[in-house]
Amino acid sequence: MNTAKAQTSNNMIQEVQLNKNDAFNEIRNLLMANFDFTNSDYKQGVVNSEVKFDIAENGKIVNVHSKGDCKNVSKEIEKVLSSLQYRVDSKKINQNMIASTYVMPVRVDINNR
């Protein structure tokens, strides 16, 4: 189980427990499964990024924006998450995790080709 910080409506930061079966773990797995590692414009080594997105009422991931160590990796993260047919199961998001925008760290290891 991991701990994350979540901002409440009164601007207080509270910790939210994320377990390996939550919706965000599924999103991370789908991101890595669909990520194109072959682009020669990627920075080599470990690339840290942060992706922000909303979840529409139908569960679709929308308004994806990523920033990080490599702009090309960030673009690929945005492309993959925006094009997923995946829908977040609202049953996997508990009341403490409901937000208008989600922020998820992404760490990608780009090996030498």
Side-chain angles (χ1 to χ4, degrees):
M1 187 153 321
N2 295 323
T3 302
K5 301 233 184 248
Q7 190 168 0
T8 64
S9 59
N10 60 359
N11 287 330
M12 296 291 295
I13 303 290
Q14 293 182 339
E15 291 187 347
V16 175
Q17 295 292 323
L18 303 176
N19 69 47
K20 63 182 180 179
N21 296 321
D22 71 16
F24 301 101
N25 194 51
E26 289 179 82
I27 293 169
R28 283 184 199 95
N29 291 339
L30 287 167
L31 174 60
M32 289 300 106
N34 292 285
F35 194 91
D36 176 12
F37 288 93
T38 63
N39 188 331
S40 61
D41 293 330
Y42 295 155
K43 175 182 167 187
Q44 296 293 311
V46 175
V47 178
N48 292 299
S49 299
E50 179 181 89
V51 63
K52 294 180 182 184
F53 58 89
D54 299 331
I55 298 177
E57 287 184 22
N58 65 1
K60 177 124 175 75
I61 297 169
V62 296
N63 301 327
V64 180
H65 302 284
S66 180
K67 65 180 179 178
D69 298 340
C70 176
K71 68 178 181 178
N72 294 312
V73 168
S74 293
K75 286 180 187 176
E76 179 66 11
I77 291 169
E78 290 175 0
K79 182 181 122 201
V80 169
L81 290 181
S82 295
S83 64
L84 285 178
Q85 296 302 311
Y86 174 80
R87 301 283 192 261
V88 174
D89 183 352
S90 61
K91 294 174 190 162
K92 292 188 178 184
I93 299 178
N94 65 43
Q95 284 301 111
N96 293 332
M97 294 171 61
I98 294 176
S100 57
T101 300
Y102 294 89
V103 179
M104 184 174 74
V106 177
R107 184 179 176 143
V108 181
D109 190 2
I110 306 294
N111 293 320
N112 289 333
R113 294 179 245 315

